[in-house]
Amino acid sequence: QVQVVESGGGLVQAGGSLRLSCTVSGLAFDDYAMGWFRQTPGKEREGVSCITGGSGANTAYARSVEGRFTISRDNAKNTLYLQMNSLKPEDTAMYYCAAGSNRGYCPPLINSLGTWGQGTLVTVSS
């Protein structure tokens, strides 16, 4: 059974930084591409970033976060990270991670297993 646990969210002022973490169990973590998604009330969940499997050599970002967010992974810890800098109020959302392509491809930014964690809330004040 795949389990996903996100953490690291919080309240931060505009221009500040946060680092999100996502620990995954129940799958061969390093085989999978991984991704971050976010959702605000009344809107569909949107893709934020993904990283290829294995060494994580390739990454992709939504245009709205490119240059400000950095995705990374630590396969030894089965953990995915999202470093978020220069945060804006429009980054306020619940953030989720998910397992992507089981062949390690990124893009596409997908949730291949349909499993979501509880998410971690990021609130950016102006």
Side-chain angles (χ1 to χ4, degrees):
Q1 183 180 358
V2 177
Q3 291 189 323
V4 176
V5 179
E6 300 95 342
S7 62
L11 174 62
V12 64
Q13 289 188 331
S17 298
L18 283 173
R19 188 193 195 202
L20 306 184
S21 299
C22 169
T23 301
V24 182
S25 60
L27 55 68
F29 181 78
D30 52 353
D31 285 348
Y32 281 80
M34 294 294 300
W36 285 100
F37 300 78
R38 65 186 182 186
Q39 188 172 25
T40 54
K43 293 188 177 181
E44 290 190 359
R45 200 167 306 193
E46 64 172 352
V48 174
S49 179
C50 65
I51 185 168
T52 50
S55 65
N58 292 318
T59 58
Y61 298 91
R63 287 187 180 180
S64 59
V65 306
E66 196 156 18
R68 300 188 296 121
F69 290 10
T70 302
I71 190 171
S72 61
R73 63 190 298 156
D74 184 338
N75 292 335
K77 297 181 179 179
N78 277 23
T79 300
L80 179 73
Y81 301 101
L82 187 67
Q83 178 67 43
M84 305 187 298
N85 299 329
S86 302
L87 282 162
K88 304 176 181 180
E90 50 264 44
D91 295 318
T92 294
M94 189 72 80
Y95 284 73
Y96 303 87
C97 77
S101 163
N102 63 0
R103 303 192 67 177
Y105 299 141
C106 154
L109 178 50
I110 59 172
N111 181 349
S112 65
L113 302 178
T115 298
W116 297 104
Q118 83 290 348
T120 187
L121 181 62
V122 172
T123 304
V124 184
S125 62
S126 57

